[in-house]
Amino acid sequence: MSTRASVLSDWLAQRLDRASDQPIYRQLHRLLQQAILTRELAAGAKVPSSRLLAAELGVGRNTVTQVYEQLAIEGYVSSATGRGTFVADSAPDEILFDDAPPAAVAPPDMQSTLSARGARLITGAGVSKRQGGAFMPGVPDVSRFPSRVWNRLHAKYWRRPLPDLLTYAPGGGHSGLRHALADYLRTSRSVRCTPEQIVVTTGIHQSIDLAARLLADSGDTIWTEDPCYWGVRSVLQVSGLDLKAIPVDAEGIAPTPADLAAPPRLMLVTPSHQYPLGMVMSLARRRMLLEFARQHRCWIVEDDYDSEFRYGSRPLASLQGMDTGGQVIYVGSFGKTLFPGLRIGYVVVPEALAESFATASAELYREGQLLQQAVLAEFIEQGHFTSHIRRMRVLYGQRRDVMLATIAARYGDTLAIAGGDAGLHLVLKLPHGIDDRAVAAAALAENIVVRPLSGYYAHRPDAEPGLLIGYACVPDEEIAAAFETLAGVIDGFLQGRD
Ligand SMILES: Cc1ncc(COP(=O)(O)O)c(C=O)c1O
């Protein structure tokens, strides 16, 4: 196209839609961009003066001037004082365009676009679209969170926020929170630590990611319990670690002599409340693991995700508290004690590793949320945290009792229950041969969320069928009706076997 004012203005005039909602300025800008990108307006060509083009198009001169200025900022045209405005030699987005009309490109096949580990992560993903309601396992009753107290503390910090609380977190997190946590963990969980040994994270997922990255190299062997929580399995797998699933027995993780002959770099255990089956690791097994780890210099990551909620007996002491060799990395979270969306957790590491963990956390994740951490520190120091736990322990204990009574009324002792002594869920075992995934899918169709126990096993042939039933987030009075719906689904599968 010639850049003679009349030719260009005819071309533009045909395309400007004066009835459109889009302002003339925006239309003109887009049309000139398009003309330059498709080389309708050749590189180096002089464009008409704003006065001339405005007159030809019958638009305000200011409009054209503004469009030219915008095109100049974007690099489509350049102005030479006294000589006029010229199309730039190469337009900014030119690389996206070709002389030939674009060939039809098939939409990418996402599975083959992902990396091998990305595809494995997505194919094996366990995360649920629903995160509450009957009977979502692992979720506390968030409606009971003392939001008024939290809001008061929050408002206090926001009234005159200290600049230090609004910037990136120094490695390790908020110092007040680390002190408050050290006191809490010492007294409530028998964890032996100083504040400096604590690194605040966004939760157990991140703590384990950090530990895996700092303590193991890709290809190293990691032991996980079988069954175990799918989330941490995914975190470890995606780091390129070689996961070996070690079956659990009534005393916890139970490595065979052959397993013990090939020590891992790191093992991940849930000693206070095996996830998801609920047993407590025996003293003998704890001693054996600690001694094994000391001898072979391997790391034990202790996931202490919900041991505050033990009904009928006091919470059990941590494995970390028994460790004299500095082999245990202890991870915990406020996800169950306060609310999951808070995304604050912590990792307690041996003194010699503290500085490295703090630096790596700041280096990798560029941590922040210091104001939130300051609020939490004060929430703990003022005693609100322990009172909330005490109240929730009573509430979840009642719900657990209602749940057990409801199951017993429906099934007597024909279906076994595991893990009812602690935590936020229990496991209802199903007879062998029942497809627990199909049961969970059918329950979801009835708006009931349960998780199939077999999904937590790495060795599928060993997998027992069963359902993880979370009761903590279901009001007492809704438990029986929701379970009735679930039982209707279960019965359909039980009858199908007869
Ligand atoms: C055993 C276990 N560890 C860790 C987590 C997740 O912890 P966080 O939310 O702090 O990442 C869960 C969540 O359900 C869990 O069951």
Side-chain angles (χ1 to χ4, degrees), residues 76 87 151 163 183 208 212 252 286 308 311 325 335 367 380 395 409 412 433 449 458 474 497:
Y76 287 89
V87 175
N151 191 28
D183 286 345
I208 289 177
R286 289 173 188 235
E308 282 85 358
Y311 315 112
E367 292 286 21
I380 298 174
L395 180 77
V449 190
V474 193
R497 283 171 68 242

Side-chain angles (χ1 to χ4, degrees), residues 145-480:
F145 180 69
S147 52
R148 288 239 293 276
V149 176
W150 189 266
N151 191 28
R152 180 168 50 74
L153 295 174
H154 215 263
K156 185 184 105 178
Y157 277 94
W158 268 117
R159 212 163 292 133
R160 227 169 279 118
L162 296 172
D164 280 357
L165 294 182
L166 299 185
T167 182
Y168 293 115
H174 185 265
S175 142
L177 179 57
R178 293 162 88 192
H179 278 83
L181 259 171
D183 286 345
Y184 168 73
L185 293 173
R186 264 196 308 263
T187 50
S188 302
R189 306 293 309 120
S190 314
V191 170
R192 288 197 256 190
C193 69
T194 60
E196 292 69 34
Q197 285 172 258
I198 299 177
V199 172
V200 180
T201 64
T202 59
I204 290 173
H205 276 230
Q206 196 184 63
S207 299
I208 289 177
D209 189 48
L210 193 58
R213 285 172 194 277
L214 281 178
L215 302 176
D217 283 308
S218 89
D220 279 350
T221 303
I222 307 287
W223 285 358
T224 58
E225 297 171 330
D226 201 23
C228 90
Y229 169 52
W230 50 265
V232 294
R233 203 162 50 207
S234 289
V235 168
L236 294 170
Q237 230 156 26
V238 88
S239 290
L241 301 166
D242 184 16
L243 268 55
K244 186 165 184 200
I246 308 287
V248 295
D249 63 15
E251 295 184 66
I253 193 167
T256 61
D259 295 326
L260 293 170
R265 178 77 180 141
L266 185 149
M267 68 179 90
L268 179 67
V269 289
T270 48
S272 299
H273 188 219
Q274 202 280 330
Y275 195 88
L277 292 173
M279 59 282 233
V280 175
M281 190 183 285
S282 68
L283 195 58
R285 194 64 57 79
R286 289 173 188 235
R287 289 208 174 107
M288 184 277 278
L289 285 184
L290 287 170
E291 182 53 22
F292 174 76
R294 197 184 59 75
Q295 276 179 20
H296 298 281
R297 306 188 65 77
C298 54
W299 299 103
I300 301 177
V301 177
E302 174 178 17
D303 178 355
D304 200 21
Y305 61 101
D306 75 353
S307 44
E308 282 85 358
F309 301 118
R310 178 154 286 280
Y311 315 112
S313 61
R314 279 175 53 76
L316 302 154
S318 65
L319 181 66
Q320 196 269 8
M322 295 173 64
D323 174 28
T324 50
Q327 301 300 131
V328 177
I329 310 289
Y330 175 92
V331 300
S333 173
F334 291 97
K336 316 254 183 258
T337 46
L338 294 180
F339 59 97
L342 182 60
R343 299 315 292 151
I344 299 184
Y346 39 90
V347 50
V348 182
V349 300
E351 250 171 47
L353 288 177
E355 191 61 38
S356 304
F357 268 67
T359 304
S361 142
E363 182 77 12
L364 285 180
Y365 315 121
R366 210 71 173 105
E367 292 286 21
Q369 298 281 8
L370 281 171
L371 194 139
Q372 187 98 316
Q373 292 178 17
V375 170
L376 178 54
E378 208 159 321
F379 187 82
I380 298 174
E381 279 156 12
Q382 292 183 3
H384 305 298
F385 181 55
T386 42
S387 340
H388 182 60
I389 290 179
R390 228 177 289 124
R391 276 196 306 273
M392 291 304 101
R393 194 182 295 133
V394 172
L395 180 77
Y396 301 155
Q398 275 165 10
R399 289 180 180 175
R400 192 269 319 241
D401 293 346
V402 174
M403 193 77 240
L404 288 172
T406 309
I407 296 174
R410 192 67 154 72
Y411 292 111
D413 52 12
T414 56
L415 298 181
I417 289 170
D421 298 334
L424 311 180
H425 77 275
L426 51 77
V427 177
L428 181 66
K429 301 273 186 80
L430 295 174
H432 279 283
I434 297 258
D435 179 354
D436 56 1
R437 289 167 189 257
V439 179
L444 190 59
E446 302 288 334
N447 208 23
I448 300 286
V449 190
V450 284
R451 284 183 166 274
L453 177 60
S454 65
Y456 293 79
Y457 284 84
H459 286 142
R460 298 272 184 250
D462 300 344
E464 283 188 280
L467 300 174
L468 268 72
I469 299 183
Y471 47 79
C473 61
V474 193
D476 305 17
E477 62 282 6
E478 290 174 23
I479 289 178

Side-chain angles (χ1 to χ4, degrees), residues 44-50 68 71-72 77-80 83-87:
K46 187 175 180 193
V47 295
S49 70
S50 54
Y68 281 0
L71 289 171
V77 298
S78 57
S79 303
R83 289 180 45 227
T85 303
F86 297 85
V87 175

Side-chain angles (χ1 to χ4, degrees), residues 112-143:
S112 61
T113 307
L114 295 174
S115 64
R117 65 177 166 181
R120 204 143 61 108
L121 176 72
I122 302 306
T123 315
V127 68
S128 165
K129 296 233 180 329
R130 275 250 313 256
Q131 292 298 336
F135 290 107
M136 181 70 201
V139 174
D141 189 339
V142 293
S143 71

